[in-house]
Amino acid sequence: MAFLVLLAAVLLVLSAQANAGFLSIDCGLDDEYSGYKDPNSGGIVYVSDGTYTDAGENLKVAPEYESYYQSHFLRSYLTYLARLAASYGNHDGRNDSSAMEFDVHLGANYWDTVRVRDNQVYEVVFVAWAGWAPVCLLNTGHGAPFLSMLELRRLGDALYPALMANQTMSMFRRRNMGGKFIRFPDDPYDRYWWTIVDPRWSNLSTAQNMQPDPSFAEPVVVLQTAATATGNSTALSYTWQDNRPAYSFMVFLHFADFQSAQLREFDIYFNGNRLGPSDKPYRPPYLASSTVCSFGWYRATDGN
Ligand SMILES: *[C@@H]1O[C@H](CO)[C@@H](O)[C@H](O)[C@H]1NC(C)=O
Ligand SMILES: *[C@@H]1O[C@H](CO)[C@@H](O)[C@H](O)[C@H]1NC(C)=O
Ligand SMILES: *[C@@H]1O[C@H](CO)[C@@H](O)[C@H](O)[C@H]1NC(C)=O
Ligand SMILES: *[C@@H]1O[C@H](CO)[C@@H](O)[C@H](O)[C@H]1NC(C)=O
């Protein structure tokens, strides 16, 4: 079984609500509760999925929206963020999600494999290639696919410039160094920035205003906290590991200095490859963010 969920075209229909450019679906919600404001997400409105899903079939967009939306799309390729969660909650009465998994596609592009036991949130950034984008759940023989939540956020045309129109970029980790979990309204695009704690680091913070990098629009509260190496250690290092060797990775590091008293400069390495300026150490800007990213996609042979 595969079912399609209609995404982008409905944005116009919803733009009259408080969070223009947001579509938040609480999957399986009774229609009578549709349109509730979630206090945990800064009052984002969640609707039921009744209008957006149709088992095995593609939903038809009302022609007036289709043509309007497509002409809009032709002017500028808009970037979107889609996020889903599939919380097991023993919905099938078997009390076992250990082997449950299914694939998610975004149009023709593979997005990710949802491993239900991990109970995590899956997120992807993509450039809209048509007036609407179907999210397709694919049964791969490990249990019937299901969703608890589906969210769509319009990011505009200035964010994530590295992304080409034919690519989808699935999130692996996004972390707020030295600070707490952040989402809307601190992040106007409702990206999730999870906290990260490491005993080798200490936290820095400031109340000063910070200037985000226009290509990434980091929340100011994220830029107002930072992590630094403790004690006499001169390196801040972190290892993230993934066991899916077919995946390629890109890293985006956001730096912003808020301690004017010190000269701050350092070298940055990603899997042994130097990033940032090639001939001199990197100096983060003062009270403004700049982003250092890997050149292209990195794939490790050993999964590291
Ligand atoms: C479900 O499984 C967990 C652990 O596998 C067990 O502790 C729990 O009692 C089970 N619940 C039911 C209702 O069978
Ligand atoms: C994606 O688009 C870029 C730029 O238009 C092109 O160079 C590249 O070959 C395309 N990749 C695929 C897989 O179609
Ligand atoms: C750093 O901040 C995080 C998030 O607020 C917190 O969980 C952690 O305990 C802090 N670490 C230290 C060493 O204070
Ligand atoms: C840092 O280095 C100094 C001088 O070598 C030493 O006295 C001190 O104990 C070290 N501090 C820590 C936290 O390791």
Side-chain angles (χ1 to χ4, degrees):
M1 185 193 80
F3 71 86
L4 297 177
V5 181
L6 198 63
L7 288 183
V10 295
L11 278 177
L12 284 173
V13 187
L14 291 180
S15 61
Q17 77 177 43
N19 323 110
F22 284 17
L23 168 64
S24 312
I25 301 175
D26 186 339
C27 303
L29 182 73
D30 238 36
D31 281 348
E32 69 174 292
Y33 301 115
S34 191
Y36 71 88
K37 280 190 178 172
D38 178 11
N40 299 322
S41 66
I44 292 175
V45 175
Y46 282 76
V47 298
S48 70
D49 56 6
T51 334
Y52 304 111
T53 66
D54 188 15
E57 256 182 71
N58 186 351
L59 285 180
K60 208 129 173 63
V61 196
E64 62 269 28
Y65 293 118
E66 198 170 330
S67 54
Y68 177 84
Y69 204 83
Q70 276 167 2
S71 55
H72 189 64
F73 155 75
L74 287 175
R75 272 206 315 276
S76 59
Y77 288 79
L78 293 180
T79 306
Y80 288 89
L81 178 151
R83 182 164 48 222
L84 65 80
S87 306
Y88 176 59
N90 197 17
H91 68 276
D92 58 1
R94 291 183 189 163
N95 198 25
D96 181 15
S97 66
S98 57
M100 242 186 208
E101 56 180 56
F102 55 90
D103 285 356
V104 208
H105 288 242
L106 204 55
N109 297 327
Y110 170 78
W111 162 3
D112 217 328
T113 299
V114 173
R115 295 184 293 195
V116 176
R117 62 187 171 283
D118 293 348
N119 196 21
Q120 69 180 57
V121 165
Y122 293 81
E123 199 181 285
V124 70
V125 173
F126 65 100
V127 179
W129 57 89
W132 54 280
V135 171
C136 189
L137 309 184
L138 227 60
N139 189 336
T140 52
H142 304 281
F146 68 99
L147 286 184
S148 323
M149 171 202 92
L150 180 63
E151 298 172 336
L152 184 74
R153 308 287 179 246
R154 186 168 56 204
L155 300 181
D157 52 6
L159 262 55
Y160 297 95
L163 202 64
M164 287 184 286
N166 54 9
Q167 290 183 333
T168 63
M169 184 165 65
S170 184
M171 183 199 61
F172 179 58
R173 304 270 163 82
R174 185 188 297 110
R175 294 293 182 263
N176 177 17
M177 312 292 287
K180 59 182 179 25
F181 174 78
I182 295 296
R183 64 172 294 190
F184 185 85
D186 290 316
D187 187 325
Y189 300 102
D190 195 29
R191 286 164 296 183
Y192 290 1
W193 302 76
W194 284 269
T195 187
I196 179 167
V197 176
D198 190 301
R200 296 168 299 172
W201 306 342
S202 61
N203 295 340
L204 301 175
S205 67
T206 183
Q208 298 176 91
N209 195 26
M210 311 289 287
Q211 186 63 48
D213 179 340
S215 297
F216 295 93
E218 309 94 337
V220 172
V221 284
V222 168
L223 298 176
Q224 284 173 327
T225 62
T228 187
T230 50
N232 292 343
S233 172
T234 54
L236 187 74
S237 64
Y238 201 73
T239 307
W240 278 341
Q241 206 160 13
D242 192 59
N243 57 6
R244 293 166 294 187
Y247 283 35
S248 300
F249 293 87
M250 212 182 251
V251 63
F252 299 88
L253 303 163
H254 307 280
F255 296 100
D257 196 3
F258 46 74
Q259 293 181 317
S260 61
Q262 304 173 9
L263 169 69
R264 199 183 290 280
E265 58 176 33
F266 44 85
D267 297 323
I268 306 163
Y269 291 90
F270 172 50
N271 283 309
N273 301 311
R274 191 178 166 130
L275 302 183
S278 58
D279 53 339
K280 53 183 190 306
Y282 175 76
R283 281 190 191 181
Y286 179 58
L287 299 186
S289 168
S290 93
T291 303
V292 174
C293 59
S294 53
F295 311 102
W297 296 93
Y298 176 87
R299 181 185 293 188
T301 47
D302 59 357
N304 287 319

